[in-house]
Amino acid sequence: MSLVSDTGLIMAIQWQTSYETGIPEIDNDHGRLVALINELDAILAEEGEPARVGAVIDALIDYADYHFKREEEMLRRVDFPELGAHEEVHDRFGQYMGGLVGNCMLDPSHD
């Protein structure tokens, strides 16, 4: 699942049942993350005010951090064999969000 369109902007995510894990807490978290990503996509598409963009980015980063810590701890408790690879996915998302924040700070007009 890619978050970036060919233009380099965030891309809305259409929720699919294949994203579901069967663990309600994780599925709810993922749904919230998708909603925040889609909200950010909509704001950027309409060239929303920088303060609004920043607020959604902050909310997305905060919620992702909360979710990643919680999910990784759950996976650790059950000795999930692919935990390292899953943590790498989380790290890449964090790096992507850091880059997005940097881009918004350098070019708050999103042109």
Side-chain angles (χ1 to χ4, degrees):
M1 167 178 29
S2 175
L3 300 178
V4 182
S5 70
D6 293 336
T7 63
L9 296 175
I10 296 282
M11 185 170 67
I13 298 172
Q14 183 72 31
W15 183 261
Q16 299 175 25
T17 56
S18 63
Y19 299 156
E20 294 176 5
T21 66
I23 302 168
E25 297 91 342
I26 299 300
D27 291 338
N28 290 338
D29 284 1
H30 290 167
R32 177 73 178 133
L33 289 168
V34 166
L36 286 166
I37 290 165
N38 289 345
E39 183 178 356
L40 181 58
D41 177 70
I43 293 168
L44 291 175
E46 65 188 34
E47 297 183 14
E49 294 184 22
R52 188 168 168 224
V53 172
V56 174
I57 289 173
D58 286 348
L60 180 55
I61 289 170
D62 288 347
Y63 200 82
D65 184 56
Y66 158 78
H67 165 70
F68 293 164
K69 286 177 182 173
R70 181 163 91 146
E71 183 178 65
E72 289 168 7
E73 181 54 35
M74 289 174 133
L75 294 175
R76 215 172 270 110
R77 281 195 310 255
V78 298
D79 292 322
F80 184 66
E82 297 174 27
L83 178 59
H86 200 78
E87 288 172 328
E88 287 179 20
V89 170
H90 290 169
D91 289 345
R92 283 194 307 272
F93 182 82
Q95 291 169 5
Y96 173 77
M97 290 306 299
L100 183 64
V101 169
N103 288 340
C104 286
M105 290 173 72
L106 290 174
D107 183 12
S109 68
H110 316 295
D111 290 337

